[in-house]
Amino acid sequence: MQFIDTHIHIDGEEFDADRAEVVERAREAGAQYLFVPSIDLPSVTKVLDVCHQYPGFAFPMIGLHPEEVRDDFASVIQQMEAMPMEEFIAIGEVGLDFYWSREYEQQQLEAFRLQVEWACRTRLPLMIHCRKAQNELTHILREYKDDLPGGVFHCFTGNLQEARQLLEFDNFVLGIGGVLTFKKSHLPEVLSQLPIERIVLETDAPYMAPVPMRGKRNESAYLVHVIQRMAESMGCSTQEVAEQTTRNALRVFDISRQHHP
């Protein structure tokens, strides 16, 4: 059984001590590829370094995470846009997050808009983070609806109505991870009513470890628990989940475009 982890922060310092072992366990569990988002300018360098250590296995993204948006966002994005884009498979992790604070609300909205335009120009898919901001997010995306290159709504935990609203955008899929396995999660019921063709797997590691690993540092190998729960929710085999979510991920992300300078 092979699968793709479409969202792992394997560059994070949480993995500095044993990254090679984490990658080895991922491969042994069946991980075919790992997709690695950036969150700010310094992280782009680290993401590239780590992905270069695992060529053909770990693939980098570039973007400014909403929680990292400050007054200098336009300059940060400009510096990112100046980088060799053939290295990257997506614009991410970008989006809106009003969960903790709306202090930088206007800056977040503008930064997201700039990065959506960037994705439309480069035809790179978007890796979108959204917390407590779906109305604002879909409002912006609708303005670009005909030009959007597709992407992932990362860490989706919403209800059926919210899922359907997001899936109105062509070639976008929902990223599903450890939350699916949580006792109080309503995601199993939501997924049972969605087409598996619009779902991809992700860990968001080191965060959001699934049951029975909850509370531990997450890693790609733990996706087997998410696959098991998804198979139960969607009434199919674990093999079908792995194969279909892999096809979905490779439809959204063109990993063949990547070539190193």
Side-chain angles (χ1 to χ4, degrees):
M1 181 171 75
Q2 287 197 306
F3 55 83
I4 297 176
D5 185 349
T6 61
H7 195 116
I8 175 172
H9 299 276
I10 190 76
D11 59 302
E13 59 187 18
E14 296 88 348
F15 295 109
D16 283 352
D18 63 344
R19 188 171 289 109
E21 289 84 350
V22 170
V23 167
E24 189 52 39
R25 284 195 294 272
R27 289 186 195 268
E28 284 173 8
Q32 196 175 355
Y33 306 119
L34 310 183
F35 297 166
V36 190
S38 307
I39 59 166
D40 57 15
L41 209 46
S43 75
V44 175
T45 307
K46 180 88 181 277
V47 164
L48 283 172
D49 285 348
V50 168
C51 289
H52 288 161
Q53 288 169 38
Y54 305 100
F57 182 66
F59 293 84
M61 310 180 206
I62 184 169
L64 180 61
H65 190 291
E67 288 185 70
E68 304 300 325
V69 168
R70 300 292 179 268
D71 288 328
D72 65 346
F73 69 89
S75 153
V76 170
I77 293 169
Q78 203 171 12
Q79 291 173 73
M80 286 181 172
E81 288 183 359
M83 293 179 148
M85 294 310 291
E86 65 274 8
E87 284 261 30
F88 303 99
I89 62 162
I91 305 296
E93 176 177 357
V94 306
L96 300 174
D97 193 319
F98 302 140
Y99 183 77
W100 299 109
S101 148
R102 286 186 175 259
E103 182 185 355
Y104 291 100
E105 179 175 354
Q106 282 313 119
Q107 293 93 330
Q108 278 196 38
L109 291 166
E110 187 53 36
F112 181 55
R113 186 183 295 277
L114 282 175
Q115 293 181 101
V116 169
E117 291 174 356
W118 181 19
C120 291
R121 279 198 309 279
T122 57
R123 306 314 298 161
L124 287 174
L126 288 152
M127 176 59 72
I128 297 180
H129 169 112
C130 180
R131 262 206 313 185
K132 295 279 182 271
Q134 183 158 324
N135 289 339
E136 294 91 339
L137 188 103
T138 50
H139 178 76
I140 289 175
L141 288 177
R142 277 195 197 103
E143 292 177 38
Y144 300 92
K145 196 164 191 231
D146 296 336
D147 296 320
L148 290 170
V152 178
F153 293 108
H154 152 62
C155 197
F156 178 77
T157 57
N159 59 34
L160 185 61
Q161 186 185 347
E162 288 166 328
R164 285 181 171 150
Q165 183 185 43
L166 294 176
L167 294 180
E168 284 173 15
F169 296 98
D170 292 341
N171 207 29
F172 275 87
V173 292
L174 304 179
I176 304 292
V179 173
L180 175 64
T181 67
F182 295 179
K183 197 172 174 187
K184 290 189 172 152
S185 173
H186 56 267
L187 274 178
E189 294 78 62
V190 174
L191 285 190
S192 71
Q193 299 176 75
L194 294 176
I196 194 170
E197 292 76 18
R198 305 296 296 276
I199 307 290
V200 294
L201 300 168
E202 60 173 36
T203 54
D204 202 18
Y207 318 109
M208 314 284 271
V211 174
M213 305 297 181
R214 199 164 177 192
K216 298 184 175 166
R217 179 192 67 176
N218 200 4
E219 56 179 84
S220 297
Y222 297 169
L223 264 178
V224 293
H225 302 293
V226 177
I227 291 170
Q228 180 65 49
R229 191 72 186 90
M230 192 176 289
E232 292 164 12
S233 308
M234 305 194 87
C236 57
S237 69
T238 53
Q239 186 67 31
E240 284 174 90
V241 167
E243 286 178 3
Q244 187 61 55
T245 54
T246 295
R247 278 197 292 271
N248 301 343
L250 295 177
R251 187 178 70 235
V252 175
F253 298 93
D254 178 11
I255 59 172
S256 67
R257 72 177 295 284
Q258 190 204 44
H259 54 93
H260 301 304

